[in-house]
Amino acid sequence: MAVPRQDPVVRCSPDTPGPIAPGDLESLERDGFLTVDRLIGPDEVAVYRRELERLVTDPAVRADERSVVEPRSEEIRSVFEVHRISEVFARLVRDERVVGRARQILGSDVYVHQSRINVKPGFGAGGFYWHSDFETWHAEDGPPNMRTVSVSIALTENHDTNGGLMIMPGSHRTFLGCAGATPKDNYKQTLQMQDAGTPSDAALTGMASEYGIKLFTGRAGSATWFDCNCMHGSGDTITPFPRSNVFIVFNSVDNAAVEPFAAPVRRPDFIGARDFTPVR
């Protein structure tokens, strides 16, 4: 079921001061995404890479329920709530280059709905199938409206051969609901391999024909901001080149999550936060 979007993407007025230029805000409203070539510098990338390596090699982190492993290789795929596990990543969340952009886009104070590091080592790391985040978050976590924005900050170079992020430009203007009830504890399956909550092949074919597909490449330190209703995904990594990123989801404090709209129980707090304290 396809429904035209009702909510604006950019909530601030064009003359609101902030790190994003008015022309870039217009692009974000139109396309649903915005790229920043060098959000953080090489020295900073090195710091976050070292912290990522520390986390994924720590047995205590691996044993934590916030860590998700690849179903085949059993290597760590994602570590959730990373801004609470790591002070290094907590500082990144509070960095005005990051949270300042989120406040500007959403036109309010913001809190972290979700954070994680994604680790795609070379040879065999699985992708993330096509999906809209809002479809899942609205159904299973409870944010009422499309007033949520994500940022993916590259910690390795994004080639066109290492499973990079793909977005259908303009797809955020249509909400595509998925048929069927949400299974209990659906998150345990979808964090490893997406199944429920994914669009049909026919719907994806129609959207791709209408909007096209943009593959994001760029050096480490670059960032992609994208609206919660963008249709996006990433492919498997079958080359030697790894791809890792830190992924932060900011939600407006005026859009705080309520009870799930289409799931029997809400997901754990480390996936969909219930602490709505503004980032400072």
Side-chain angles (χ1 to χ4, degrees), residues 5 7-11 28-29 31-34 105-106 131-134 137 145-151 167 171-174 224-232:
R5 182 194 184 104
D7 298 322
V9 177
V10 177
R11 297 293 184 127
L28 176 61
E29 183 75 45
D31 298 328
F33 62 82
L34 176 67
I105 292 166
L106 299 179
H131 63 285
S132 155
D133 287 327
F134 181 74
W137 296 339
N145 302 113
M146 296 178 186
R147 198 171 178 180
T148 310
V149 67
S150 301
V151 59
I167 293 178
S171 59
H172 64 301
R173 294 194 291 267
T174 301
T224 303
W225 293 84
F226 59 100
D227 177 74
C228 60
N229 195 46
C230 282
M231 190 61 64
H232 67 287

Side-chain angles (χ1 to χ4, degrees), residues 36-280:
V36 180
D37 180 55
R38 180 171 284 183
L39 182 67
I40 58 176
D43 291 346
E44 294 170 291
V45 169
V47 170
Y48 297 122
R49 283 280 298 278
R50 286 195 296 270
E51 181 69 354
L52 181 149
E53 291 299 324
R54 183 189 72 80
L55 291 171
V56 300
T57 57
D58 184 339
V61 172
R62 182 183 178 86
D64 195 293
E65 65 175 342
R66 291 172 285 193
S67 293
V68 181
V69 299
E70 290 283 354
R72 291 189 295 273
S73 69
E74 296 190 352
E75 292 188 73
I76 286 184
R77 173 183 175 93
S78 302
V79 179
F80 281 79
E81 214 171 41
V82 70
H83 70 296
R84 295 193 183 278
I85 293 175
S86 164
E87 178 54 34
V88 173
F89 284 111
R91 289 197 299 270
L92 179 63
V93 167
R94 297 192 298 267
D95 191 310
E96 277 300 312
R97 293 171 295 178
V98 177
V99 70
R101 282 177 165 85
R103 291 191 194 105
Q104 188 179 6
I105 292 166
L106 299 179
S108 69
D109 280 332
V110 296
Y111 71 93
V112 177
H113 176 76
Q114 184 186 105
S115 73
R116 66 178 188 260
I117 47 174
N118 291 326
V119 186
K120 275 192 172 183
F123 296 126
F128 293 85
Y129 199 69
W130 289 106
H131 63 285
S132 155
D133 287 327
F134 181 74
E135 205 278 341
T136 300
W137 296 339
H138 181 72
E140 300 186 45
D141 299 336
N145 302 113
M146 296 178 186
R147 198 171 178 180
T148 310
V149 67
S150 301
V151 59
S152 174
I153 304 172
L155 300 182
T156 52
E157 186 169 353
N158 286 335
H159 305 283
D160 57 3
T161 55
N162 64 343
L165 174 68
M166 296 180 287
I167 293 178
M168 297 184 187
S171 59
H172 64 301
R173 294 194 291 267
T174 301
F175 172 72
L176 188 62
C178 297
T182 302
K184 184 179 179 181
D185 291 340
N186 181 51
Y187 74 93
K188 294 180 180 178
Q189 170 68 23
T190 58
L191 295 184
Q192 287 189 321
M193 187 174 296
Q194 210 114 12
D195 187 9
T198 59
S200 68
D201 288 352
L204 287 171
T205 299
M207 294 190 83
S209 298
E210 181 175 358
Y211 299 118
I213 296 173
K214 164 73 173 176
L215 170 66
F216 293 89
T217 59
R219 56 189 167 179
S222 62
T224 303
W225 293 84
F226 59 100
D227 177 74
C228 60
N229 195 46
C230 282
M231 190 61 64
H232 67 287
S234 64
D236 295 351
T237 303
I238 60 171
T239 66
F241 310 115
R243 174 180 171 260
S244 298
N245 67 297
V246 55
F247 182 78
I248 307 162
V249 180
F250 293 102
N251 191 25
S252 169
V253 295
D254 299 326
N255 191 46
V258 292
E259 289 305 305
F261 286 85
V265 295
R266 66 189 188 215
R267 298 191 296 178
D269 290 6
F270 68 83
I271 299 174
R274 313 303 292 190
D275 180 352
F276 310 133
T277 305
V279 177
R280 300 295 186 200

